[in-house]
Amino acid sequence: MPGVVSDEHRPKRRKLSGCDLYRDVLGSPKLVVAPMVDQSELPWRILSRRYGAQLVYTPMINAKMFAESKHKSYKEQAFNLLNGEEGGSQDRPLIVQFAANDPDQLLKAAKLVEAHCDAVDINFGCPQDIARRGRYGCYLQDDWDLVYRLINTLHENLSIPVTAKFRIFSSLSKTVEYAKMMERAGAQILTCHGRTREQKGHNSGLADWDKIRAVKDAVSVPVFANGNIVFHDDIQRCLDATGADAIMTAEGNLYNPTVLLSAASLQGPSSFSTASLTNALSTEFSRATNEFFMLPNDTGAYLPHSTLALEYLAIVRALRTPTAGSAIKGHLFKLLRPVLLSETDLRDRLGRVRGRPGGNKDELLKEYEDIVREVEARLQSEIDHVQKGKVTLEGLVKVDESTGLRVLPRWLAQPYFRPLQVKKEQKEAKEGHISAGGGTETKKKPEDDATTNGVEGQETEAVESSTNEEKGGLVEAS
């Protein structure tokens, strides 16, 4: 047939190096959404792109299970190739992330998605116990030879680039040498999460931007900085402090999908498109400026969480690709968290929603939508007071005493500050149990058990019930 070239004689595309990948394929992104277990699934990626994300990763995929044909249901849920939506035109640019400890299994899995993404990322950062038991993620930090072979196997055998996401060591020099080894192995982009593997859960603390800066200065491939993106203001601060090519956000995006959207970008007619008003799967921005709420001296733009929740559910409804019930529920608990703390009947109602394999998708989504619309109805008068000028938005903003960070009105999507575990000695000293000179204890009051707050967190039992389905699984892949 004229015009058809066989694969044998088709010219091979030049494999892209780091800077070429970053610039020519990914479009020089500055705003990246992280790989998040059970949470950076297709509908959330679409929503995130509408509100500023320029590059998105899939959730972490278990390479061993994905490579084996017997795990059909896992493969279809992890990265669905049957419906043609994952990795399709509205899901690009896209990087697929795998967790692995066997180079051959990793390569077999990566080959299955090679034609459906722009790069394959290897997870060297997951700090969860399941990663320790399975020997992957940050628990490979002690086996540099294996880390090298995992990266190099993909570098030598895939037609698309390989990238890597990792956590820092407590030692600056070791962190830098680790990153340089990954670059030598063939990683074309490095994402540096500025926390050690011990910094997780309530002990997360702050990410170390200085170590990310040291990595950026030591390698020639693009570097993404991961950690401490809570408000939009933090984006430029991070870029300035680290010199990174882009920032990556995980939980900041989960609790507030507009965290990557700047107020400045909303000015002028070019910011508005009607695409997603007629097409629920469009990634184009489609909201008028007057729908957003903005604060003085704040570069971000905010929306009511009920608005974002309904938009997310509409995307889930429009897709042919199934969305895990745990992902849907996890997103709703995080988005609606500010109001579920006080509207406990709705929190309990959300927790009781149960999907089942093969169940009716429309019925399940209607049950979720009814809850979100009830949230919307209960909060409308509070929103009206601001929109009609009866109160100012800035007058409703409070400051968290322990962090100095802003707490927005309960109807806006906003970050969640993770409670930190306070060491016993520090807590006793703070409460007056131990004086500077080792004096007598004071009587402990009940309220002294309150913890201080940190940034970037997961849901607590006060908001979510205890089942894995209601928690939406683990939050961040690394």
Side-chain angles (χ1 to χ4, degrees):
M1 182 182 294
V4 174
V5 180
S6 68
D7 289 340
E8 181 182 355
H9 296 96
R10 192 184 304 275
K12 289 187 177 181
R13 186 179 65 178
R14 179 177 62 90
K15 188 163 183 176
L16 295 170
S17 64
C19 293
D20 292 335
L21 167 67
Y22 176 74
R23 182 186 62 246
D24 299 338
V25 174
L26 303 181
S28 302
K30 294 291 183 185
L31 309 172
V32 183
V33 172
M36 296 174 285
V37 174
D38 209 28
Q39 297 286 264
S40 58
E41 84 291 356
L42 179 59
W44 192 259
R45 297 198 295 269
I46 292 173
L47 182 72
S48 297
R49 293 181 198 278
R50 287 183 188 173
Y51 293 105
Q54 298 164 337
L55 170 64
V56 188
Y57 285 59
T58 67
M60 179 185 71
I61 300 172
N62 184 306
K64 181 177 185 294
M65 292 182 67
F66 197 78
E68 295 176 347
S69 57
K70 64 182 179 181
H71 298 294
K72 181 179 178 182
S73 60
Y74 175 80
K75 293 173 69 172
E76 290 179 0
Q77 181 174 318
F79 195 82
N80 187 296
L81 297 174
L82 300 176
N83 291 298
E85 293 171 326
E86 296 213 62
S89 60
Q90 292 174 310
D91 194 27
R92 296 293 187 96
L94 177 70
I95 295 180
V96 175
Q97 189 191 65
F98 286 103
N101 58 23
D102 182 297
D104 293 334
Q105 288 177 341
L106 175 60
L107 179 60
K108 185 176 180 181
K111 281 289 185 182
L112 295 175
V113 301
E114 185 177 29
H116 305 279
C117 61
D118 299 299
V120 168
D121 187 73
I122 307 176
N123 182 318
F124 294 111
C126 182
Q128 306 295 341
D129 286 341
I130 190 173
R132 177 180 53 79
R133 293 192 299 270
R135 193 168 171 262
Y136 61 81
C138 67
Y139 297 97
L140 296 180
Q141 278 186 334
D142 303 319
D143 191 342
W144 288 28
D145 177 65
L146 177 56
V147 170
Y148 184 97
R149 287 188 291 116
L150 287 166
I151 296 172
N152 192 250
T153 295
L154 296 194
H155 177 60
E156 295 293 339
N157 294 283
L158 287 184
S159 64
I160 59 176
V162 57
T163 66
K165 186 173 190 289
F166 67 99
R167 286 190 171 226
I168 61 173
F169 292 87
S170 56
S171 163
L172 175 62
S173 60
K174 195 170 184 180
T175 298
V176 168
E177 287 306 312
Y178 191 54
K180 290 167 69 175
M181 178 271 291
M182 289 181 164
E183 181 182 26
R184 289 195 301 272
Q188 300 304 314
I189 291 176
L190 294 174
T191 298
C192 182
H193 187 158
R195 293 183 175 90
T196 66
R197 67 183 176 192
E198 291 75 29
Q199 288 181 274
K200 59 182 179 179
H202 292 295
N203 295 314
S204 287
L206 292 174
D208 188 337
W209 284 353
D210 289 339
K211 285 190 175 69
I212 299 176
R213 161 67 78 171
V215 168
K216 174 60 183 174
D217 290 343
V219 300
S220 60
V221 296
V223 172
F224 296 169
N226 184 202
N228 299 352
I229 303 300
V230 181
F231 291 99
H232 188 271
D233 299 343
D234 297 320
I235 295 172
Q236 193 58 51
R237 288 178 51 244
C238 181
L239 291 172
D240 292 343
T242 64
D245 299 276
I247 63 91
M248 176 183 282
T249 177
E251 290 174 340
N253 161 264
L254 288 181
Y255 290 92
N256 177 22
T258 71
V259 68
L260 299 178
L261 186 68
S262 71
S265 70
L266 300 176
Q267 307 305 316
S270 60
S271 66
F272 183 81
S273 165
T274 60
S276 67
L277 299 178
T278 56
N279 177 8
L281 301 183
S282 172
T283 57
E284 292 187 41
F285 180 76
S286 64
R287 291 195 179 278
T289 301
N290 61 10
E291 295 184 63
F292 289 87
F293 294 85
M294 286 163 256
L295 287 162
N297 303 314
D298 186 328
T299 59
Y302 302 91
L303 282 172
H305 43 61
S306 57
T307 299
L308 292 162
L310 289 172
E311 189 171 352
Y312 167 73
L313 291 172
I315 296 170
V316 174
R317 186 184 291 278
L319 285 166
R320 298 187 302 275
T321 303
T323 302
S326 56
I328 299 172
K329 184 173 287 189
H331 283 306
L332 294 181
F333 266 118
K334 292 175 180 66
L335 282 172
L336 302 176
R337 184 183 188 280
V339 71
L340 296 181
L341 290 169
S342 54
E343 305 294 330
T344 57
D345 62 315
L346 294 180
R347 178 197 69 195
D348 295 341
R349 187 174 157 193
L350 180 59
R352 289 193 297 269
V353 177
R354 288 288 185 274
R356 64 184 188 279
N360 189 298
K361 173 183 174 181
D362 290 336
E363 290 180 3
L364 177 66
L365 291 177
K366 185 179 185 306
E367 196 170 356
Y368 281 130
E369 288 165 348
D370 287 346
I371 294 171
V372 178
R373 292 193 189 283
E374 179 62 24
V375 168
E376 192 174 48
R378 294 188 190 186
L379 297 177
Q380 192 57 55
S381 63
E382 298 174 32
I383 298 173
D384 287 345
H385 284 163
V386 173
Q387 291 180 324
K388 294 177 181 179
K390 294 181 180 179
V391 294
T392 63
L393 179 59
E394 51 267 37
L396 298 176
V397 176
K398 300 178 181 179
V399 176
D400 182 87
E401 292 182 0
S402 60
T403 64
L405 297 174
R406 301 185 296 278
V407 179
L408 307 182
R410 66 178 189 152
W411 39 272
L412 284 176
Q414 59 190 283
Y416 166 55
F417 310 134
R418 185 196 304 275
L420 291 174
Q421 296 293 331
V422 181
K423 291 183 178 179
K424 183 179 179 181
E425 296 83 359
Q426 293 174 327
K427 186 176 180 181
E428 288 178 342
K430 181 178 180 181
E431 293 169 352
H433 295 293
I434 303 173
S435 70
T440 59
E441 292 187 355
T442 60
K443 185 177 180 181
K444 183 178 179 181
K445 298 178 289 184
E447 61 266 32
D448 287 337
D449 282 330
T451 58
T452 57
N453 290 333
V455 296
E456 293 194 24
Q458 294 170 306
E459 291 299 287
T460 65
E461 294 302 318
V463 176
E464 297 181 333
S465 53
S466 60
T467 66
N468 284 334
E469 181 187 11
E470 289 162 6
K471 286 189 176 182
L474 302 175
V475 175
E476 189 177 354
S478 53

